[in-house]
Every structure is written in C-alpha cells, then in structure tokens.
Amino acid sequence: MKSLKERFDKPLPRWVKEIEAEAYQKISASEFAKDCFGGNPDAIAKQMLGLWPFVDEFPHMLDRGCWSLIFRIELMLQHGPFAVLRLLKKGRKILREIKLDEEDHRKLWLMTSQTLDLKYPQDFDAEALPAVKKWMEKVDSADNPFTMFVRFTAIEIIAECISKNLLGSPQFKTALGTQGCRWFKAHVHPDMHAGMTHEELALHLGFSFHKSEPDKKECNDIIQEVVDLFLAAADASRSIALPR
C-alpha cells in the first residue's frame, strides 16, 4: 500500500475533467442559470438571497471538517499515527487557508448583493429554504474523510461552473457591473495554494484517505449528487419574494 504522502502527491486522473464537464453542462442548462444569464436583476437577487445560507455557512463546514480529522482513530490504526498526523497537519493547514479564502468570497457575495440593492443583514435574515437546508446537510455530513473532501470538491466545481457560464453573458456582466462580478471572477481565476486550486487540493486530500484507489464512477456519484442538490436549491430560490 502506498503511503499517505505518496497518495497525496499522485497526479489527479484525467477523468476529473470529464466530471467537471458533466457538472458544467447540467448547471448551464438549468433554469436558474438561464434566468441569470439574461441579466435579469430580480432573478440574480433571488439567488443571492436563497443561496446565502450555504455561502454563509461553508467556511464553518470547512472548519468542522478540519477538526473532525483529528478524532478519527480508525485512520491512525489503518495508516499509522505518524503518517496520519503528518497528512493531517498538511490537511488542516490547507483547509484553514481555504476557509480564509471562502470568508473573503462570502464578503464578495455580499458585495454583489449590494449592487442589486439588497441590504445586509436585514434582507438576509429569512430561514433557509428546505432545499437549501438539504444541500447544506449533505455537504456537512460525510462519515469519512474521502467523501467529505470530494463533497468539498463538488462545491468548488459548482462555483467555477456558475462563474464561467455567467461571465460569458454580456447582459449578466452589465447587470452587476465590475464590483458585482468580483465573486464570479474569483472563481474563474481561483485562489492557489502550493500551486493547486481549492478543488485540486481537496481531491488530493480525499484520494489520500481512500481505502484503495478511487474510480471515476465513485467520485462522479458523490459530486453529481451535490450538484443536483445545488440545482434543486437554486430552483427553489427562484420563488423567493424580494424585499421592496
């Protein structure tokens, strides 16, 4: 069996790009994306409000994921305490750095909302929609490190797919202006750590903890489930009544 470090350092398989392409196709074909692509300010504002509970909570999900790794005795037994502790140290550092980036992205989300005349916190105090709660619970409920990291990967893929799609629309960019587009641009030109994006780092960590070698179907099933839950949350957000 390869060491955890060897697993972490192994190049990602080419089929990861195929998974990304499937997610992009789903997201770009969705009704929420079509609404926003056309530059409809009300449609965009509904998504900013409806998806906000996830954006607000995601940095804390990363933090909980970081701490959960420390208490997994089965990892120590399987790989040996020193190997696990070395990787956990790296993993915790990576997750904390990503958390800081996500906290910045949270601020950019609110900045976009301001360009749509939404006011924080008063316009953002509604309870999360049931579909949004379901999405949040799935991402925050992994029972093993591999699934947890692959679900985190799915969130990064979703953010990049949304951003690439919508920034291809002149109407969308005109509706938000330069300041309003900053959240989306941050995900088209993603933050890098150790020469890797958030998505790549999460996958490397997840693959390190897999019991053998992850295959495309296993990863795709996890990622597409999160994508589908996101699309359900975005679709539910289309029915939000905007504050006036």
Side-chain angles (χ1 to χ4, degrees):
M1 179 185 293
K2 292 182 179 178
S3 70
L4 288 175
K5 183 180 184 305
E6 288 174 323
R7 291 180 178 210
F8 181 87
D9 291 337
K10 185 177 179 180
L12 296 175
R14 293 181 180 179
W15 45 254
V16 170
K17 294 298 180 184
E18 297 171 9
I19 293 175
E20 293 173 356
E22 182 177 342
Y24 182 86
Q25 185 176 22
K26 279 184 181 179
I27 290 170
S28 61
S30 67
E31 292 303 316
F32 106 88
K34 292 175 184 177
D35 288 346
C36 296
F37 196 89
N40 183 328
D42 284 355
I44 301 169
K46 289 179 180 182
Q47 296 300 324
M48 303 309 292
L49 291 174
L51 301 178
W52 165 251
F54 186 97
V55 175
D56 188 34
E57 185 63 21
F58 188 48
H60 303 295
M61 294 183 194
L62 291 167
D63 203 30
R64 287 192 290 272
C66 167
W67 285 105
S68 73
L69 295 175
I70 298 172
F71 303 106
R72 293 187 179 272
I73 297 175
E74 72 274 14
L75 299 178
M76 304 287 184
L77 296 175
Q78 181 180 357
H79 301 285
F82 295 110
V84 172
L85 287 172
R86 280 195 296 269
L87 188 62
L88 290 186
K89 182 178 180 182
K90 180 191 289 284
R92 288 180 63 198
K93 181 176 183 294
I94 288 169
L95 284 180
R96 283 174 178 168
E97 290 175 349
I98 293 176
K99 179 192 173 188
L100 291 175
D101 290 337
E102 293 300 336
E103 287 173 347
D104 286 339
H105 295 167
R106 176 185 179 278
K107 294 174 184 176
L108 293 178
W109 188 273
L110 292 175
M111 188 179 294
T112 298
S113 301
Q114 288 175 355
T115 68
L116 297 165
D117 296 325
L118 297 174
K119 297 176 177 60
Y120 180 81
Q122 55 266 42
D123 291 340
F124 292 80
D125 61 358
E127 185 177 357
L129 297 167
V132 176
K133 284 184 179 179
K134 187 174 180 180
W135 177 40
M136 294 171 67
E137 288 167 358
K138 177 60 66 173
V139 175
D140 201 27
S141 66
D143 59 359
N144 64 79
F146 167 72
T147 303
M148 178 183 76
F149 282 119
V150 176
R151 286 178 180 160
F152 288 165
T153 296
I155 299 306
E156 299 299 335
I157 289 173
I158 289 167
E160 183 176 359
C161 289
I162 293 169
S163 300
K164 283 183 176 179
N165 177 259
L166 295 182
L167 289 177
S169 165
Q171 299 97 320
F172 177 81
K173 291 189 287 187
T174 298
L176 291 186
T178 300
Q179 177 171 290
C181 286
R182 287 181 60 188
W183 184 92
F184 302 89
K185 290 180 178 178
H187 290 91
V188 171
H189 305 288
D191 302 292
M192 302 286 284
H193 300 280
M196 290 184 277
T197 64
H198 293 182
E199 174 192 337
E200 291 166 340
L201 286 166
L203 274 182
H204 277 284
L205 284 167
F207 287 4
S208 300
F209 286 112
H210 194 275
K211 58 184 180 298
S212 55
E213 290 287 337
D215 60 31
K216 178 183 175 182
K217 183 181 185 307
E218 183 178 20
C219 291
N220 194 47
D221 286 349
I222 296 169
I223 288 171
Q224 299 306 334
E225 180 182 28
V226 175
V227 171
D228 291 343
L229 287 169
F230 157 72
L231 290 173
D235 189 56
S237 298
R238 298 171 69 218
S239 64
I240 286 177
L242 293 176
R244 295 300 181 193

Short mmCIF file of all heavy atoms in Angstrom, two decimals, residues 156-207:
data_model
loop_
_atom_site.label_atom_id
_atom_site.label_comp_id
_atom_site.label_asym_id
_atom_site.label_seq_id
_atom_site.Cartn_x
_atom_site.Cartn_y
_atom_site.Cartn_z
N GLU A 156 -16.52 23.52 -5.00
CA GLU A 156 -15.60 24.32 -5.81
C GLU A 156 -15.93 24.19 -7.30
O GLU A 156 -15.84 25.17 -8.05
CB GLU A 156 -14.16 23.87 -5.54
CG GLU A 156 -13.71 24.05 -4.10
CD GLU A 156 -13.75 25.48 -3.62
OE1 GLU A 156 -13.65 26.41 -4.46
OE2 GLU A 156 -13.89 25.71 -2.41
N ILE A 157 -16.30 22.99 -7.73
CA ILE A 157 -16.68 22.79 -9.13
C ILE A 157 -17.93 23.60 -9.46
O ILE A 157 -18.01 24.25 -10.51
CB ILE A 157 -16.90 21.29 -9.41
CG1 ILE A 157 -15.56 20.54 -9.38
CG2 ILE A 157 -17.60 21.08 -10.76
CD1 ILE A 157 -15.69 19.03 -9.49
N ILE A 158 -18.92 23.56 -8.56
CA ILE A 158 -20.15 24.33 -8.78
C ILE A 158 -19.85 25.81 -8.94
O ILE A 158 -20.34 26.48 -9.86
CB ILE A 158 -21.13 24.09 -7.62
CG1 ILE A 158 -21.70 22.67 -7.67
CG2 ILE A 158 -22.27 25.13 -7.64
CD1 ILE A 158 -22.42 22.25 -6.40
N ALA A 159 -19.04 26.36 -8.02
CA ALA A 159 -18.73 27.79 -8.07
C ALA A 159 -18.02 28.16 -9.37
O ALA A 159 -18.32 29.20 -9.98
CB ALA A 159 -17.86 28.17 -6.87
N GLU A 160 -17.11 27.31 -9.81
CA GLU A 160 -16.39 27.60 -11.05
C GLU A 160 -17.31 27.49 -12.26
O GLU A 160 -17.26 28.32 -13.17
CB GLU A 160 -15.20 26.65 -11.21
CG GLU A 160 -14.36 26.96 -12.45
CD GLU A 160 -13.14 26.08 -12.57
OE1 GLU A 160 -12.90 25.23 -11.69
OE2 GLU A 160 -12.40 26.23 -13.57
N CYS A 161 -18.17 26.46 -12.28
CA CYS A 161 -19.09 26.28 -13.40
C CYS A 161 -20.06 27.46 -13.52
O CYS A 161 -20.31 27.97 -14.62
CB CYS A 161 -19.85 24.97 -13.26
SG CYS A 161 -18.87 23.48 -13.51
N ILE A 162 -20.63 27.87 -12.39
CA ILE A 162 -21.53 29.02 -12.39
C ILE A 162 -20.82 30.25 -12.96
O ILE A 162 -21.33 30.97 -13.82
CB ILE A 162 -22.02 29.35 -10.97
CG1 ILE A 162 -22.93 28.25 -10.44
CG2 ILE A 162 -22.76 30.69 -10.94
CD1 ILE A 162 -23.22 28.41 -8.95
N SER A 163 -19.62 30.48 -12.47
CA SER A 163 -18.88 31.69 -12.83
C SER A 163 -18.51 31.70 -14.30
O SER A 163 -18.67 32.71 -15.00
CB SER A 163 -17.64 31.81 -11.95
OG SER A 163 -18.00 31.88 -10.59
N LYS A 164 -18.01 30.58 -14.80
CA LYS A 164 -17.63 30.52 -16.21
C LYS A 164 -18.85 30.73 -17.10
O LYS A 164 -18.78 31.43 -18.11
CB LYS A 164 -16.99 29.16 -16.52
CG LYS A 164 -15.56 29.03 -16.04
CD LYS A 164 -14.97 27.69 -16.45
CE LYS A 164 -13.50 27.59 -16.06
NZ LYS A 164 -12.91 26.27 -16.43
N ASN A 165 -19.96 30.13 -16.72
CA ASN A 165 -21.16 30.27 -17.53
C ASN A 165 -21.67 31.70 -17.53
O ASN A 165 -21.89 32.29 -18.60
CB ASN A 165 -22.24 29.32 -17.00
CG ASN A 165 -23.55 29.46 -17.76
OD1 ASN A 165 -24.49 30.11 -17.28
ND2 ASN A 165 -23.63 28.87 -18.93
N LEU A 166 -21.84 32.29 -16.37
CA LEU A 166 -22.47 33.61 -16.29
C LEU A 166 -21.56 34.73 -16.77
O LEU A 166 -22.04 35.72 -17.33
CB LEU A 166 -22.95 33.87 -14.86
CG LEU A 166 -24.06 32.93 -14.38
CD1 LEU A 166 -24.51 33.31 -12.98
CD2 LEU A 166 -25.25 32.91 -15.34
N LEU A 167 -20.27 34.59 -16.58
CA LEU A 167 -19.36 35.63 -17.08
C LEU A 167 -19.25 35.60 -18.60
O LEU A 167 -18.65 36.50 -19.20
CB LEU A 167 -17.99 35.49 -16.44
CG LEU A 167 -17.92 35.88 -14.95
CD1 LEU A 167 -16.53 35.62 -14.39
CD2 LEU A 167 -18.32 37.33 -14.74
N GLY A 168 -19.83 34.58 -19.22
CA GLY A 168 -19.91 34.55 -20.68
C GLY A 168 -21.07 35.36 -21.22
O GLY A 168 -21.27 35.43 -22.44
N SER A 169 -21.83 35.98 -20.33
CA SER A 169 -23.01 36.76 -20.72
C SER A 169 -22.75 38.25 -20.57
O SER A 169 -22.59 38.74 -19.44
CB SER A 169 -24.20 36.37 -19.85
OG SER A 169 -25.24 37.33 -19.97
N PRO A 170 -22.75 39.01 -21.66
CA PRO A 170 -22.62 40.48 -21.55
C PRO A 170 -23.74 41.09 -20.71
O PRO A 170 -23.52 42.04 -19.97
CB PRO A 170 -22.67 40.96 -23.01
CG PRO A 170 -22.24 39.77 -23.81
CD PRO A 170 -22.77 38.57 -23.07
N GLN A 171 -24.96 40.53 -20.84
CA GLN A 171 -26.10 41.07 -20.09
C GLN A 171 -25.90 40.89 -18.58
O GLN A 171 -26.22 41.78 -17.79
CB GLN A 171 -27.40 40.37 -20.52
CG GLN A 171 -27.75 40.57 -21.99
CD GLN A 171 -27.29 39.39 -22.83
OE1 GLN A 171 -26.20 38.85 -22.62
NE2 GLN A 171 -28.12 39.00 -23.79
N PHE A 172 -25.39 39.72 -18.20
CA PHE A 172 -25.14 39.46 -16.78
C PHE A 172 -24.09 40.42 -16.24
O PHE A 172 -24.27 41.02 -15.17
CB PHE A 172 -24.67 38.01 -16.61
CG PHE A 172 -24.31 37.64 -15.19
CD1 PHE A 172 -25.29 37.32 -14.27
CD2 PHE A 172 -22.98 37.64 -14.78
CE1 PHE A 172 -24.97 36.98 -12.96
CE2 PHE A 172 -22.65 37.30 -13.47
CZ PHE A 172 -23.65 36.97 -12.56
N LYS A 173 -23.00 40.60 -16.97
CA LYS A 173 -21.92 41.49 -16.51
C LYS A 173 -22.39 42.94 -16.45
O LYS A 173 -22.00 43.68 -15.54
CB LYS A 173 -20.71 41.34 -17.42
CG LYS A 173 -20.01 39.99 -17.27
CD LYS A 173 -18.69 39.93 -18.01
CE LYS A 173 -18.88 39.85 -19.49
NZ LYS A 173 -17.60 39.61 -20.20
N THR A 174 -23.25 43.33 -17.37
CA THR A 174 -23.78 44.70 -17.35
C THR A 174 -24.69 44.90 -16.14
O THR A 174 -24.66 45.94 -15.47
CB THR A 174 -24.56 44.99 -18.64
OG1 THR A 174 -23.67 44.90 -19.75
CG2 THR A 174 -25.18 46.38 -18.60
N ALA A 175 -25.50 43.88 -15.83
CA ALA A 175 -26.43 43.98 -14.70
C ALA A 175 -25.70 44.14 -13.38
O ALA A 175 -26.17 44.87 -12.49
CB ALA A 175 -27.33 42.74 -14.66
N LEU A 176 -24.53 43.51 -13.23
CA LEU A 176 -23.82 43.54 -11.95
C LEU A 176 -22.71 44.59 -11.90
O LEU A 176 -22.35 45.06 -10.82
CB LEU A 176 -23.22 42.16 -11.65
CG LEU A 176 -24.21 41.06 -11.33
CD1 LEU A 176 -23.47 39.79 -10.92
CD2 LEU A 176 -25.16 41.47 -10.22
N GLY A 177 -22.15 44.94 -13.05
CA GLY A 177 -21.03 45.88 -13.04
C GLY A 177 -19.75 45.23 -12.55
O GLY A 177 -19.73 44.05 -12.15
N THR A 178 -18.68 45.98 -12.54
CA THR A 178 -17.37 45.43 -12.17
C THR A 178 -17.35 44.91 -10.75
O THR A 178 -16.87 43.80 -10.47
CB THR A 178 -16.29 46.52 -12.33
OG1 THR A 178 -16.27 46.96 -13.70
CG2 THR A 178 -14.92 45.96 -11.96
N GLN A 179 -17.88 45.69 -9.81
CA GLN A 179 -17.85 45.28 -8.41
C GLN A 179 -18.71 44.04 -8.18
O GLN A 179 -18.31 43.11 -7.47
CB GLN A 179 -18.35 46.42 -7.52
CG GLN A 179 -18.42 46.06 -6.04
CD GLN A 179 -18.71 47.27 -5.16
OE1 GLN A 179 -17.88 48.15 -5.01
NE2 GLN A 179 -19.90 47.31 -4.57
N GLY A 180 -19.88 44.00 -8.79
CA GLY A 180 -20.79 42.88 -8.59
C GLY A 180 -20.29 41.57 -9.16
O GLY A 180 -20.73 40.50 -8.75
N CYS A 181 -19.37 41.65 -10.11
CA CYS A 181 -18.85 40.43 -10.75
C CYS A 181 -17.65 39.84 -10.02
O CYS A 181 -17.14 38.79 -10.43
CB CYS A 181 -18.46 40.72 -12.20
SG CYS A 181 -19.86 40.91 -13.32
N ARG A 182 -17.21 40.47 -8.95
CA ARG A 182 -15.96 40.03 -8.33
C ARG A 182 -16.03 38.61 -7.75
O ARG A 182 -15.06 37.87 -7.81
CB ARG A 182 -15.52 41.04 -7.25
CG ARG A 182 -14.98 42.34 -7.85
CD ARG A 182 -14.54 43.30 -6.77
NE ARG A 182 -13.48 42.73 -5.94
CZ ARG A 182 -13.02 43.29 -4.82
NH1 ARG A 182 -13.56 44.44 -4.39
NH2 ARG A 182 -12.07 42.74 -4.13
N TRP A 183 -17.18 38.22 -7.16
CA TRP A 183 -17.29 36.85 -6.64
C TRP A 183 -17.10 35.85 -7.77
O TRP A 183 -16.40 34.84 -7.60
CB TRP A 183 -18.66 36.65 -5.99
CG TRP A 183 -18.82 35.29 -5.36
CD1 TRP A 183 -18.55 34.96 -4.06
CD2 TRP A 183 -19.28 34.08 -5.98
NE1 TRP A 183 -18.80 33.61 -3.84
CE2 TRP A 183 -19.25 33.05 -5.01
CE3 TRP A 183 -19.71 33.77 -7.28
CZ2 TRP A 183 -19.64 31.74 -5.29
CZ3 TRP A 183 -20.09 32.46 -7.56
CH2 TRP A 183 -20.05 31.47 -6.57
N PHE A 184 -17.69 36.13 -8.91
CA PHE A 184 -17.63 35.21 -10.04
C PHE A 184 -16.23 35.17 -10.64
O PHE A 184 -15.72 34.10 -10.98
CB PHE A 184 -18.68 35.62 -11.08
CG PHE A 184 -20.08 35.64 -10.52
CD1 PHE A 184 -20.59 36.80 -9.92
CD2 PHE A 184 -20.86 34.51 -10.53
CE1 PHE A 184 -21.87 36.81 -9.38
CE2 PHE A 184 -22.14 34.51 -9.98
CZ PHE A 184 -22.64 35.66 -9.40
N LYS A 185 -15.60 36.32 -10.74
CA LYS A 185 -14.24 36.36 -11.28
C LYS A 185 -13.25 35.64 -10.36
O LYS A 185 -12.28 35.05 -10.82
CB LYS A 185 -13.80 37.81 -11.51
CG LYS A 185 -14.53 38.48 -12.67
CD LYS A 185 -14.07 39.91 -12.88
CE LYS A 185 -14.78 40.52 -14.08
NZ LYS A 185 -14.38 41.95 -14.28
N ALA A 186 -13.52 35.68 -9.07
CA ALA A 186 -12.63 34.99 -8.12
C ALA A 186 -12.65 33.48 -8.34
O ALA A 186 -11.68 32.79 -8.01
CB ALA A 186 -13.05 35.31 -6.68
N HIS A 187 -13.73 32.95 -8.91
CA HIS A 187 -13.84 31.51 -9.12
C HIS A 187 -13.43 31.09 -10.53
O HIS A 187 -13.21 29.91 -10.79
CB HIS A 187 -15.26 31.03 -8.81
CG HIS A 187 -15.56 31.10 -7.34
ND1 HIS A 187 -16.12 32.20 -6.74
CD2 HIS A 187 -15.34 30.21 -6.34
CE1 HIS A 187 -16.24 31.99 -5.45
NE2 HIS A 187 -15.78 30.79 -5.18
N VAL A 188 -13.32 32.05 -11.43
CA VAL A 188 -12.76 31.75 -12.75
C VAL A 188 -11.24 31.80 -12.68
O VAL A 188 -10.54 31.07 -13.37
CB VAL A 188 -13.30 32.74 -13.80
CG1 VAL A 188 -12.56 32.57 -15.13
CG2 VAL A 188 -14.79 32.50 -14.03
N HIS A 189 -10.72 32.68 -11.84
CA HIS A 189 -9.28 32.78 -11.58
C HIS A 189 -9.08 32.43 -10.11
O HIS A 189 -8.88 33.30 -9.26
CB HIS A 189 -8.77 34.19 -11.88
CG HIS A 189 -9.10 34.64 -13.27
ND1 HIS A 189 -8.47 34.14 -14.37
CD2 HIS A 189 -10.02 35.53 -13.72
CE1 HIS A 189 -8.97 34.71 -15.46
NE2 HIS A 189 -9.91 35.55 -15.09
N PRO A 190 -9.13 31.12 -9.80
CA PRO A 190 -9.23 30.70 -8.39
C PRO A 190 -7.96 30.91 -7.59
O PRO A 190 -6.85 31.03 -8.13
CB PRO A 190 -9.55 29.20 -8.51
CG PRO A 190 -8.99 28.80 -9.84
CD PRO A 190 -9.15 29.99 -10.73
N ASP A 191 -8.15 30.97 -6.26
CA ASP A 191 -7.03 31.07 -5.34
C ASP A 191 -6.20 29.80 -5.42
O ASP A 191 -6.71 28.69 -5.59
CB ASP A 191 -7.54 31.24 -3.91
CG ASP A 191 -8.43 32.46 -3.76
OD1 ASP A 191 -7.91 33.57 -3.88
OD2 ASP A 191 -9.65 32.28 -3.55
N MET A 192 -4.88 29.96 -5.28
CA MET A 192 -3.96 28.83 -5.38
C MET A 192 -3.22 28.65 -4.06
O MET A 192 -2.86 29.62 -3.39
CB MET A 192 -2.95 29.07 -6.50
CG MET A 192 -3.55 29.32 -7.87
SD MET A 192 -4.20 27.82 -8.64
CE MET A 192 -2.68 27.03 -9.15
N HIS A 193 -2.99 27.38 -3.71
CA HIS A 193 -2.18 27.04 -2.54
C HIS A 193 -1.25 25.90 -2.96
O HIS A 193 -1.71 24.89 -3.47
CB HIS A 193 -3.06 26.60 -1.37
CG HIS A 193 -4.02 27.66 -0.93
ND1 HIS A 193 -3.65 28.71 -0.11
CD2 HIS A 193 -5.33 27.85 -1.22
CE1 HIS A 193 -4.71 29.49 0.09
NE2 HIS A 193 -5.73 29.00 -0.57
N ALA A 194 0.04 26.10 -2.75
CA ALA A 194 1.03 25.09 -3.14
C ALA A 194 0.87 24.75 -4.62
O ALA A 194 1.07 23.60 -5.03
CB ALA A 194 0.89 23.84 -2.29
N GLY A 195 0.53 25.76 -5.44
CA GLY A 195 0.41 25.54 -6.87
C GLY A 195 -0.85 24.83 -7.30
O GLY A 195 -0.97 24.42 -8.45
N MET A 196 -1.84 24.68 -6.39
CA MET A 196 -3.08 23.97 -6.71
C MET A 196 -4.28 24.81 -6.33
O MET A 196 -4.22 25.61 -5.41
CB MET A 196 -3.13 22.62 -5.98
CG MET A 196 -2.14 21.59 -6.48
SD MET A 196 -2.33 19.99 -5.65
CE MET A 196 -1.37 20.28 -4.15
N THR A 197 -5.39 24.60 -7.05
CA THR A 197 -6.64 25.26 -6.70
C THR A 197 -7.27 24.56 -5.50
O THR A 197 -6.86 23.47 -5.10
CB THR A 197 -7.62 25.19 -7.88
OG1 THR A 197 -7.95 23.81 -8.13
CG2 THR A 197 -7.02 25.79 -9.15
N HIS A 198 -8.32 25.18 -4.96
CA HIS A 198 -9.07 24.56 -3.86
C HIS A 198 -9.57 23.17 -4.29
O HIS A 198 -9.51 22.21 -3.52
CB HIS A 198 -10.28 25.41 -3.48
CG HIS A 198 -9.93 26.72 -2.86
ND1 HIS A 198 -10.89 27.60 -2.42
CD2 HIS A 198 -8.74 27.30 -2.57
CE1 HIS A 198 -10.31 28.67 -1.91
NE2 HIS A 198 -9.01 28.52 -2.00
N GLU A 199 -10.11 23.11 -5.49
CA GLU A 199 -10.65 21.84 -5.98
C GLU A 199 -9.58 20.76 -6.01
O GLU A 199 -9.78 19.64 -5.54
CB GLU A 199 -11.22 22.05 -7.38
CG GLU A 199 -11.68 20.77 -8.06
CD GLU A 199 -11.97 20.96 -9.54
OE1 GLU A 199 -12.23 22.11 -9.97
OE2 GLU A 199 -11.94 19.96 -10.27
N GLU A 200 -8.42 21.10 -6.56
CA GLU A 200 -7.33 20.11 -6.67
C GLU A 200 -6.83 19.69 -5.30
O GLU A 200 -6.58 18.50 -5.06
CB GLU A 200 -6.20 20.70 -7.51
CG GLU A 200 -6.57 20.89 -8.97
CD GLU A 200 -5.58 21.77 -9.73
OE1 GLU A 200 -4.84 22.55 -9.08
OE2 GLU A 200 -5.57 21.70 -10.97
N LEU A 201 -6.70 20.63 -4.39
CA LEU A 201 -6.22 20.30 -3.05
C LEU A 201 -7.21 19.38 -2.33
O LEU A 201 -6.80 18.40 -1.68
CB LEU A 201 -6.02 21.58 -2.24
CG LEU A 201 -4.79 22.41 -2.61
CD1 LEU A 201 -4.89 23.79 -1.99
CD2 LEU A 201 -3.52 21.72 -2.16
N ALA A 202 -8.49 19.68 -2.43
CA ALA A 202 -9.49 18.84 -1.77
C ALA A 202 -9.48 17.43 -2.34
O ALA A 202 -9.58 16.44 -1.60
CB ALA A 202 -10.88 19.47 -1.91
N LEU A 203 -9.32 17.32 -3.65
CA LEU A 203 -9.27 15.99 -4.26
C LEU A 203 -8.03 15.22 -3.83
O LEU A 203 -8.10 14.03 -3.55
CB LEU A 203 -9.31 16.11 -5.79
CG LEU A 203 -10.69 16.18 -6.44
CD1 LEU A 203 -10.55 16.25 -7.95
CD2 LEU A 203 -11.56 14.99 -6.05
N HIS A 204 -6.89 15.90 -3.81
CA HIS A 204 -5.66 15.23 -3.37
C HIS A 204 -5.82 14.70 -1.94
O HIS A 204 -5.41 13.58 -1.63
CB HIS A 204 -4.47 16.20 -3.45
CG HIS A 204 -3.86 16.30 -4.81
ND1 HIS A 204 -3.04 15.32 -5.33
CD2 HIS A 204 -3.94 17.26 -5.76
CE1 HIS A 204 -2.63 15.67 -6.54
NE2 HIS A 204 -3.18 16.84 -6.82
N LEU A 205 -6.41 15.51 -1.08
CA LEU A 205 -6.62 15.06 0.30
C LEU A 205 -7.60 13.90 0.36
O LEU A 205 -7.39 12.91 1.05
CB LEU A 205 -7.12 16.23 1.16
CG LEU A 205 -6.07 17.26 1.56
CD1 LEU A 205 -6.73 18.51 2.11
CD2 LEU A 205 -5.11 16.67 2.58
N GLY A 206 -8.70 14.03 -0.38
CA GLY A 206 -9.69 12.96 -0.39
C GLY A 206 -9.12 11.65 -0.91
O GLY A 206 -9.32 10.58 -0.31
N PHE A 207 -8.39 11.71 -2.00
CA PHE A 207 -7.80 10.50 -2.58
C PHE A 207 -6.77 9.88 -1.64
O PHE A 207 -6.59 8.66 -1.63
CB PHE A 207 -7.16 10.82 -3.93
CG PHE A 207 -8.16 11.08 -5.04
CD1 PHE A 207 -9.52 11.09 -4.79
CD2 PHE A 207 -7.73 11.33 -6.33
CE1 PHE A 207 -10.44 11.34 -5.80
CE2 PHE A 207 -8.63 11.57 -7.35
CZ PHE A 207 -9.99 11.58 -7.09
#
